[in-house]
Amino acid sequence: MKSLDIAKSPDPGWTRPAWREALDRWWDRLLTSERFYRWSVSNPLTRWITQRRSRQVFDLMAGFVYSQILLACVRLGIFQRVQEQPQTLRSLAQHTDIGEAALQRLLDSAVALRLLTLRGDQRYGLGPLGAPVAAFPGIQAMIEHHATLYQDMQDPVALLRDALVSPQMNGYWPYVSNPDVARQPQAPQERFQRYSNLMSASQPFVVDEILSAYAFDDHQRVLDVGGGQGTFLSRLAHHAPHLQLHLFDLPPVVQLAEQNFARQGLSARTQTSGGSFLTDALPPGADLVTLIRVAHDHPDHHVLTVLKSIYRALPAGGTLLLAEPMAQEGGRQPQGDAYFHFYLLAMGSGRLRTPHELSTLMQQAGFCMIETVPTQIPLHAQILLGRKSKCLP
Ligand SMILES: C[S@@+](CC[C@H](N)C(=O)[O-])C[C@H]1O[C@@H](n2cnc3c(N)ncnc32)[C@H](O)[C@@H]1O
């Protein structure tokens, strides 16, 4: 049985005034009334609102079909092919070994979803939404990986009841089902490699957000906790050549990071330490610790353990930079929230937290002067900074 934390309401005493409650109920009745629907589509002033809502409901209903069309295009290498040059149905049928009639349905669906466009002479080219998929291997890797997630999501009620017959996502992340797995002599190296490759492929978007939002000039030494194969530190090494770099992760992952640093000629500037941040002390010496896409994988009490350990490892005046996707608060577009809530549910550990919840955990661990750093695309990651006070106790 999974043990999941419950998110606490930031304002448990919040109630709506009675008049607002009555208004909401009247509005619900109106929106669910067939007469009102007919009136609103026949009225030229309101029709666009009803049309837009109908499209939105249709998209919700059809979302799985859209995702599978995207997956088919990725698996068949269609984006790469049309990126080289626009292709006819016949040439794509030869390339994919799929009959023209069936493939035409896929390609026309992809055009409808703006993944492809028609380019004249009955050729298909990249569409505005297919272009980023073609350009970024990390998006393709995540689309492939979603095949695993969607197996668990085929029965969302069983997933919610923790009653899936053969859950897939939980096994994909070995440290989730067994935090001690990396210590076992038979640690499944290929499973650590598989998720580390995926993380490395999908990390560039997050790294871009961090490098464009935070100035590293005043730091000397950075420790990346849960740093995976070292993709962030490798980029940081080029971005800020004055920095010394240290990576901490589970021992099988650290091996991969060392190979990566050696391949890039970064061994002299980087140090690695293997261990578990739940049981081992973190190496001291860094004046900045980064924690990127780690907290959301873990329950609150584990996050608190890691944060306290980071606090102990930092010198007075040291900084923690925590970056990951966070739940939207304050009425902003909650884009991405539904995805991450269910991704982490299927994974079986952790949860998407608001910046407020993470700040509270950071405060409990001892950090002060906690601030949010604005990012360009919050869907990729939001950033929190916390400091270890220089004040004497
Ligand atoms: C979701 S991945 C993120 C990796 C990287 N920071 C990124 O953004 O791509 C979480 C990382 O935390 C590491 N991790 C999980 N549990 C750990 C533990 N108990 N001790 C040390 N590292 C751990 C995993 O091996 C993995 O590299």
Side-chain angles (χ1 to χ4, degrees):
M1 189 71 185
K2 294 170 193 160
S3 74
L4 302 170
D5 296 319
I6 294 184
K8 290 176 196 65
S9 164
D11 186 1
W14 185 74
T15 47
R16 295 192 115 183
W19 67 265
R20 190 61 217 267
E21 204 57 35
L23 188 68
D24 284 347
R25 291 177 62 79
W26 171 79
W27 187 236
D28 290 345
R29 276 197 301 278
L30 198 65
L31 285 185
T32 49
S33 140
E34 224 178 298
R35 246 180 81 206
F36 177 73
Y37 169 78
R38 272 196 233 107
W39 172 83
S40 69
V41 275
S42 61
N43 184 331
L45 290 178
T46 54
R47 184 177 300 144
W48 68 273
I49 303 175
T50 310
Q51 283 174 338
R52 193 179 61 177
R53 189 157 295 167
S54 302
R55 271 197 310 272
Q56 288 168 340
V57 172
F58 187 88
D59 283 347
L60 281 179
M61 192 189 69
F64 183 75
V65 177
Y66 299 167
S67 311
Q68 298 310 94
I69 289 166
L70 181 61
L71 176 62
C73 290
V74 167
R75 279 211 178 141
L76 293 168
I78 286 174
F79 295 127
Q80 262 68 36
R81 195 79 182 172
V82 300
Q83 186 184 12
E84 283 159 21
Q85 65 175 65
Q87 303 279 329
T88 61
L89 174 62
R90 175 155 300 171
S91 74
L92 285 172
Q94 278 163 4
H95 167 68
T96 58
D97 198 21
I98 292 185
E100 286 185 30
L103 188 67
Q104 190 178 46
R105 283 161 176 73
L106 173 68
L107 300 177
D108 289 350
S109 303
V111 170
L113 295 176
R114 302 173 66 219
L115 294 166
L116 299 178
T117 46
L118 280 171
R119 292 285 174 90
D121 299 328
Q122 296 186 331
R123 290 169 316 142
Y124 294 90
L126 271 185
L129 303 187
V133 181
F136 296 103
I139 302 184
Q140 293 166 41
M142 287 307 290
I143 291 167
E144 261 303 339
H145 168 61
H146 284 156
T148 310
L149 172 62
Y150 296 162
Q151 280 185 45
D152 287 356
M153 292 225 41
Q154 278 197 11
D155 188 345
V157 177
L159 171 64
L160 286 161
R161 294 203 167 118
D162 197 10
L164 287 180
V165 179
S166 72
Q168 299 294 312
M169 281 287 285
N170 191 251
Y172 185 91
W173 301 94
Y175 58 84
V176 164
S177 45
N178 178 4
D180 283 333
V181 68
R183 288 182 192 284
Q184 293 168 354
Q186 303 289 318
Q189 182 64 26
E190 77 294 341
R191 281 168 64 200
F192 289 97
Q193 170 117 44
R194 188 175 53 169
Y195 79 72
S196 297
N197 286 346
L198 177 69
M199 288 297 95
S200 179
S202 64
Q203 209 192 28
F205 293 107
V206 182
V207 176
D208 285 343
E209 292 297 337
I210 298 170
L211 298 186
S212 59
Y214 185 73
F216 289 83
D217 309 2
D218 293 339
H219 295 290
Q220 276 82 48
R221 193 175 174 82
V222 178
L223 170 67
D224 190 23
V225 173
Q229 291 184 5
T231 306
F232 168 63
L233 288 188
S234 305
R235 281 278 305 278
L236 187 57
H238 297 291
H239 178 80
H242 69 285
L243 287 174
Q244 286 297 310
L245 308 163
H246 197 152
L247 181 142
F248 183 92
D249 207 299
L250 297 167
V253 180
V254 161
Q255 274 180 34
L256 302 171
E258 282 165 357
Q259 291 161 11
N260 184 22
F261 291 144
R263 260 197 311 275
Q264 298 192 53
L266 290 172
S267 298
R269 276 180 68 195
T270 52
Q271 201 184 333
T272 57
S273 302
S276 168
F277 50 52
L278 298 178
T279 48
D280 302 315
L282 293 173
D287 57 324
L288 172 69
V289 174
T290 49
L291 191 68
I292 305 170
R293 298 195 300 177
V294 172
H296 60 20
D297 285 0
H298 298 273
D300 288 354
H301 65 287
H302 282 175
V303 177
L304 201 54
T305 303
V306 185
L307 292 175
K308 283 181 175 168
S309 186
I310 292 173
Y311 186 83
R312 279 192 295 276
L314 277 170
T319 305
L320 163 67
L321 183 155
L322 186 156
E324 63 183 30
M326 296 177 200
Q328 303 293 308
E329 51 190 7
R332 282 195 286 161
Q333 280 284 317
Q335 200 189 1
D337 283 19
Y339 168 83
F340 287 109
H341 281 313
F342 266 80
Y343 188 99
L344 294 165
L345 177 70
M347 190 168 160
S349 172
R351 68 191 170 88
L352 188 71
R353 298 179 178 88
T354 60
H356 175 78
E357 287 176 297
L358 284 162
S359 303
T360 305
L361 287 164
M362 283 165 70
Q363 252 164 12
Q364 285 170 10
F367 288 97
C368 61
M369 291 184 279
I370 296 166
E371 59 178 311
T372 41
V373 180
T375 52
Q376 293 166 336
I377 305 186
L379 178 65
H380 291 160
Q382 297 188 62
I383 300 177
L384 289 172
L385 288 181
R387 294 192 184 74
K388 180 164 174 171
S389 173
K390 279 187 178 172
C391 296
L392 296 173

